[in-house]
Amino acid sequence: MNIEKTIKSLENRGFKVSFHESGKDAVSYLCEKIKGVDVGIGGSVTATQLGLYEILGKENSVYCHGVVPGDATIAKANAAPVYISSANAITEDGEILNIDGRGNRLAAQVYGDKRLYFVVGVNKICPDFNTALDRARNQAAPPNCARLNLNTPCRVDGKCHDCHSPQRICNALMVHWAPMRGIDTEVVLINEELGY
Ligand code: SF4
């Protein structure tokens, strides 16, 4: 994986990028930037591993339906002026890919007057779009289906079958080619393996 190329590509597309050697450094950085506001966190193993809900919750009101389930939490998270998500993959060309089953995480990433942080381990970097999409469906989706107890075939054998399961986790694919208008978007890239 070419981290330097990825950072340059993201910046060329207009994304802000910060690079951190450790998750601990990244959390400190986010704590400096995010104080006294409502914060939404999309479902994310990376955010859980970093303890973002608990740590940011010391100085902010944090809403994450993975911690407090329910539509009210999702509504507050998506209306918050700061939103944190990971990504299923980032390409060395600077594209950010996310799949979603319900769409709350995607919705929060594309509309609103807010700050958006993609908090991503370097293990999510892929050389191009096709490998990134393959990563999302064959590496990220199966363990996420297991984690969320979804009845999908990828959960059984770890491979995407382009299924028609009612519990399909990848009903939509979002590709950020550039920051959305009105959304101040930063990729917080961490030199560690995080999430799926
Ligand atoms: S289409 Fe079905 S099998 Fe493929 S990743 Fe999505 S949920 Fe899993």
Side-chain angles (χ1 to χ4, degrees), residues 157-179:
D157 65 5
K159 293 178 193 161
C160 176
H161 297 261
D162 196 13
C163 74
H164 299 286
S165 162
Q167 295 192 314
R168 177 173 163 138
I169 200 172
C170 54
N171 289 319
L173 165 70
M174 177 175 292
V175 183
H176 270 77
W177 285 310

Side-chain angles (χ1 to χ4, degrees), residues 123-171:
N123 53 306
K124 304 283 184 75
I125 294 175
C126 298
D128 56 30
F129 178 84
N130 286 337
T131 51
L133 183 56
D134 183 77
R135 183 185 199 290
R137 299 180 101 175
N138 291 295
Q139 284 189 51
N144 272 316
C145 286
R147 175 175 67 91
L148 299 168
N149 200 24
L150 302 180
N151 184 19
T152 63
C154 61
R155 178 184 172 179
V156 176
D157 65 5
K159 293 178 193 161
C160 176
H161 297 261
D162 196 13
C163 74
H164 299 286
S165 162
Q167 295 192 314
R168 177 173 163 138
I169 200 172
C170 54
N171 289 319

Side-chain angles (χ1 to χ4, degrees), residues 63-75:
Y63 302 97
C64 176
H65 73 285
V67 180
V68 180
D71 289 348
T73 303
I74 289 174

